[in-house]
Amino acid sequence: MATATRILTYEEWLAMPPVEDGTDEVVNGELRFMPPTHFPHAAIIQRLISRLLRQVDETRVEILGSNFGLMISQEPLTCRSPDLAVFWRDKIVLRDGLYWSPSDLVVEIISPSETKRRKQEKLDDYARIGVPEAWIVSPEAKSIEIHLLSDGKLVSYKIVADGEIQPTQFPGVSIPVASIWPD
């Protein structure tokens, strides 16, 4: 017997209690639970945040790591929770405790269970709201795939395994790739 997935409305979703252990996303009205991040996932997020914080003016730039809602659309309800997002503070739009403006950089750390389809869904959603740059970090390959917004799509620009990465929206910021991998 097949069961139908219940599609959530924005109002129903807002009324739900917060997830205790892990995080959730809503994609096309369907609630998706994600367990807490594990090593090296969490360590990579922390290292990226640390390296970014050293190089930006925190009064002008907001850096968020996990467990926040980045609204894609209210209908169908889609809200992502990227591993890391960087915003210029003057562009941030908040409503109901959620971020309704595109971040200037979004970072997703790929877990071993991540499928190509899910990765592409996320990139398509971020492109839909105008995120100009996305980094897909692969701990397994120790590489970062940089995607840039072009004609409404986040297109793979290059894959970096050594040297430095520079986010296009934050001039002067440079992160040595080797510095984000845990020992």
Side-chain angles (χ1 to χ4, degrees):
M1 172 187 266
T3 58
T5 303
R6 187 167 181 288
I7 303 301
L8 290 171
T9 66
Y10 180 71
E11 292 74 19
E12 291 170 328
W13 179 61
L14 284 180
M16 292 175 68
V19 175
E20 296 273 330
D21 192 19
T23 189
D24 66 331
E25 290 184 327
V26 182
V27 180
N28 296 321
E30 185 180 318
L31 187 63
R32 293 183 181 174
F33 174 77
M34 297 172 297
T37 58
H38 294 94
F39 186 86
H41 196 119
I44 292 168
I45 295 167
Q46 190 55 46
R47 287 168 182 258
L48 281 166
I49 290 171
S50 171
R51 277 132 190 92
L52 288 164
L53 282 172
R54 291 180 200 154
Q55 300 180 63
V56 297
D57 177 354
E58 287 183 73
T59 64
R60 298 181 59 219
V61 175
E62 180 83 26
I63 300 172
L64 299 172
S66 294
N67 284 339
F68 72 95
L70 180 60
M71 286 300 299
I72 306 300
S73 66
Q74 192 165 335
E75 183 64 36
L77 178 58
T78 300
C79 182
R80 293 289 184 179
S81 185
D83 290 316
L84 188 139
V86 187
F87 297 83
W88 285 105
R89 285 183 186 263
D90 62 349
K91 294 183 185 178
I92 292 175
V93 176
L94 288 170
R95 191 173 94 212
D96 298 325
L98 301 165
Y99 287 76
W100 284 80
S101 47
S103 60
D104 296 281
L105 170 65
V106 70
V107 179
E108 290 284 0
I109 316 295
I110 298 300
S111 62
S113 64
E114 189 82 41
T115 65
K116 285 184 181 182
R117 182 173 157 250
R118 281 239 169 140
K119 178 180 103 171
Q120 192 58 54
E121 278 180 357
K122 289 178 183 183
L123 287 170
D124 291 346
D125 282 344
Y126 298 142
R128 200 162 54 148
I129 62 168
V131 171
E133 183 172 6
W135 294 353
I136 305 297
V137 178
S138 172
E140 221 170 62
K142 290 198 172 181
S143 66
I144 301 159
E145 185 175 6
I146 298 171
H147 293 256
L148 299 177
L149 191 63
S150 176
D151 296 324
K153 293 185 183 222
L154 280 163
V155 179
S156 181
Y157 171 67
K158 65 181 173 180
I159 297 174
V160 181
D162 56 21
E164 308 225 343
I165 47 176
Q166 294 91 20
T168 60
Q169 303 300 303
F170 300 93
V173 173
S174 184
I175 301 170
V177 174
S179 74
I180 70 166
W181 312 121
D183 298 328

